[in-house]
Amino acid sequence: MLLPRPTRSTPVAGHFTVDATTGVHAPESVADLLRELIGPATGLPLPPAGPSDDSVISLRLTDDPTLGAEGYQLRIDPSGVRARAGTEAGLRWAVQTLRQLLPDQVYAAEPARGVSWRLPAVEIVDVPTYAWRGSLLDVARWCHPLPFLYRYVDLLALHKLNTLHLHLTDDQGWRFEVRRFPRLTEVGGFRAESPAGHARDGRGGGMPHGGWYQQSELRDLVAYAARRGVRIMPEIDLPGHAQAAIAAYPEFGNDPGRRLAVGTTWGISTHVLNLEPATLTAVCDILDEVVDVFPFEYVHVGGDEVPTAEWAASPAATARAAELGLGRVADLQGWWTGRLAAHLAGHGRRIAVWDELLDRGAPAGATVFAWRGTDRIDAARAAGLPAVAAPFSHTYFDWAESDDPAEPLAIAGVLPLDTVYGFQPGDVLGVQGQLWSEYLPTEPRVWWRAFPRLAALAEVGWSGPVRVDADGALPPPTRAEFRGRLAGHLRRLDRLGVGYRPLD
Ligand code: TNX
């Protein structure tokens, strides 16, 4: 009942039981992860294996290029467990597979008594199809508490998803502590109220909301995620979706005399950063603190939904466009983002951007997050840029799963589970599921919208797309196989107390 489905799995006769005599042979960090993930529920000590032990779990690094950066092979037979991988990342995924092969009580928080920790004998070779298997969590619209972020990382690792895209800033909140610009969080981290009901109804709830993360808290989260094979990509959304920053520092906006409030409704703010040298320098200073906290190679600098009216009305911006020989004011965005890319390149980093940049001069080397439809994936490829497939049509899990009026309030809909599972991403760096949080203010809401769809996308990312009929529908046997396996997988989420949306 593995999810995601492994590349190859062949049953072998018999089984192996993990018990109090079982020792572990593995690189230290991998052995620690095994103990951390299997110890609490089983109560087993899993000590380092001695030379004469005959009950052993052995997880070793090997030189096998066919396993790539994250693949592993695993053999369980009555004599023990042996996993091999070319990297510690591969061994970590082998640990997640071992955990899935144990009885689902292994996911319980409390010691489970009277369970025989029996592993079926099997031979597995498992190599992911896509290198980027991500999940965006929007902590800007609602500042989700840190313990939830830790749980979220656990859930990603369980599904062999390797990237958490943390959307840290937006019009309605700035959550990343910046030492040099403390008002970003002191002012930008708090708003007066949020919409009550759908934003289009125009009613405010009257309740303030706010919060932010200290750099040290985020560093700890990064380290915790890294031990599980999950990288965290920070997103600082620029130069639009930045009203919270302008509320904190009016000089970043296009009218320094104007006092803006942190956004209190959802949608697209018309207020964007100005393109003055001082603001560019400030943004680079902010990014310096970002790279200091997040070691991952990619920094997402946003770039979605940037209205250009303020630039068009600004003599300084129009003069700059003319001086740069840009035909359109909108192209200033590509030029400006190129400056950020160059600055980040100085730190050895690459930039990620939303697909709007394709229309405004995306900087060379940028990785494009194609969200406005599957055609944006093709557009990125046509521009010679790597793409992560994140189209709303298949990966926007903030959308309702059905049109049943009993569904909790959603920004839009409908995105059914089968559509996610049938997604054909094409030739891309990988796939990513989005959990924008306008209508996901609490942990239970996030889980409801995330699962089971994120599990389906994790399988697309790891195991590759399934074959679909000419009309895009799942062939009934494929659907039945996945649903059957998913039903078993949901028992694991039950043990973890993750309140997913039940299968229809
Ligand atoms: C569009 S996707 C946005 C977000 C919203 C989302 C809601 C993207 C890059 N921008 O600001 O939260 O739609 O589905």
Side-chain angles (χ1 to χ4, degrees):
M1 286 281 207
L2 293 173
L3 199 157
R5 173 171 35 81
T7 313
R8 222 165 56 227
S9 166
T10 320
V12 174
H15 63 267
F16 173 79
T17 303
V18 187
D19 63 23
T21 70
T22 306
V24 178
H25 246 317
E28 204 175 311
S29 72
V30 177
D32 286 346
L33 181 64
L34 184 73
R35 289 185 196 108
E36 212 174 323
L37 294 183
I38 291 176
T42 64
L44 299 174
L46 301 165
S52 58
D53 283 0
D54 46 29
S55 174
V56 172
I57 297 176
S58 156
L59 305 148
R60 305 277 204 143
L61 291 170
T62 178
D63 201 4
D64 181 348
T66 66
L67 296 174
E70 295 183 278
Y72 66 92
Q73 82 192 37
L74 173 67
R75 184 183 163 90
I76 302 171
D77 62 31
S79 74
V81 174
R82 272 179 297 271
R84 301 282 177 267
T87 60
E88 290 199 3
L91 292 180
R92 280 192 267 273
W93 299 137
V95 167
Q96 293 290 350
T97 295
L98 266 182
R99 195 177 182 219
Q100 288 201 358
L101 289 169
L102 286 165
D104 60 48
Q105 287 95 328
V106 75
Y107 291 94
E110 311 286 289
R113 297 189 198 289
V115 180
S116 168
W117 302 106
R118 184 192 265 234
L119 289 162
V122 67
E123 181 138 7
I124 291 171
V125 179
D126 204 8
V127 180
T129 299
Y130 291 109
W132 187 290
R133 302 178 308 280
S135 170
L136 175 148
L137 185 63
D138 171 5
V139 293
R141 269 57 176 265
W142 293 94
C143 185
H144 293 306
L146 274 170
F148 172 47
L149 301 190
Y150 279 81
R151 260 161 78 71
Y152 199 82
V153 166
D154 288 341
L155 267 290
L156 297 192
L158 166 58
H159 292 87
K160 300 189 174 79
L161 290 161
N162 64 5
T163 311
L164 170 58
H165 173 167
L166 213 47
H167 182 78
L168 284 163
T169 69
D170 215 296
D171 297 317
Q172 302 83 6
W174 183 286
R175 310 289 170 221
F176 176 74
E177 175 193 21
V178 180
R179 304 245 163 92
R180 225 171 145 145
F181 296 100
R183 287 169 55 83
L184 285 171
T185 47
E186 284 165 10
V187 173
F190 297 85
R191 65 172 177 264
E193 64 169 357
S194 316
H198 204 285
R200 65 174 162 253
D201 300 337
R203 273 180 295 115
M207 277 271 285
H209 173 78
W212 47 278
Y213 309 112
Q214 293 175 4
Q215 293 189 3
S216 61
E217 292 171 329
L218 291 168
R219 272 201 192 92
D220 289 348
L221 180 70
V222 165
Y224 178 89
R227 290 202 294 279
R228 281 153 181 73
V230 176
R231 307 105 30 118
I232 302 186
M233 175 175 69
E235 179 185 353
I236 304 296
D237 204 348
L238 303 160
H241 281 288
Q243 188 175 321
I246 302 169
Y249 292 94
E251 62 270 34
F252 293 172
N254 288 284
D255 179 356
R258 180 178 52 203
R259 288 286 171 275
L260 289 175
V262 176
T264 53
T265 186
W266 316 128
I268 305 172
S269 169
T270 54
H271 303 299
V272 303
L273 299 187
N274 69 46
L275 303 168
E276 297 310 304
T279 302
L280 181 61
T281 302
V283 167
C284 289
D285 288 346
I286 291 167
L287 292 175
D288 288 348
E289 296 195 30
V290 170
V291 299
D292 202 39
V293 171
F294 296 95
F296 187 38
E297 185 184 1
Y298 290 80
V299 175
H300 202 300
V301 294
D304 55 315
E305 301 176 325
V306 183
T308 54
E310 289 191 345
W311 295 341
S314 151
T318 50
R320 175 149 296 114
E323 175 194 312
L324 292 165
L326 300 173
R328 303 173 312 166
V329 159
D331 290 331
L332 283 166
Q333 192 187 343
W335 162 78
W336 190 81
T337 307
R339 305 296 302 270
L340 303 188
H343 183 76
L344 287 166
H347 287 288
R349 305 303 180 92
R350 312 168 58 124
I351 61 161
V353 296
W354 294 110
D355 70 56
E356 280 90 335
L357 261 302
L358 290 171
D359 311 326
R360 295 182 174 186
T367 296
V368 175
F369 281 62
W371 73 277
R372 289 178 300 163
T374 51
D375 58 313
R376 306 307 293 169
I377 299 170
D378 304 329
R381 295 193 37 75
L385 298 175
V388 170
F392 57 77
S393 52
H394 297 78
T395 69
Y396 268 41
F397 304 148
D398 56 331
W399 287 22
E401 203 164 324
S402 78
D403 55 13
D404 185 333
E407 287 284 353
L409 183 66
I411 192 159
V414 175
L415 176 49
L417 176 63
D418 287 356
T419 305
V420 180
Y421 195 56
F423 183 33
Q424 310 287 313
D427 182 11
V428 287
L429 187 56
V431 294
Q432 184 167 284
Q434 277 53 244
L435 283 158
W436 298 104
S437 73
E438 289 97 325
Y439 299 93
L440 306 177
T442 62
E443 175 168 346
R445 275 296 156 82
V446 174
W447 294 137
W448 179 272
R449 288 263 143 78
F451 293 111
R453 290 178 294 184
L454 188 54
L457 189 69
E459 182 150 307
V460 173
W462 182 279
S463 319
V466 292
R467 279 209 188 85
V468 290
D469 294 336
D471 60 358
L474 295 177
T478 303
R479 183 178 191 274
E481 190 279 331
F482 178 61
R483 293 269 167 155
R485 202 154 32 85
L486 185 57
H489 180 68
L490 294 176
R491 301 286 77 76
R492 300 180 182 124
L493 302 190
D494 287 334
R495 296 280 178 193
L496 289 164
V498 169
Y500 53 85
R501 182 185 183 281
L503 294 177
D504 294 320

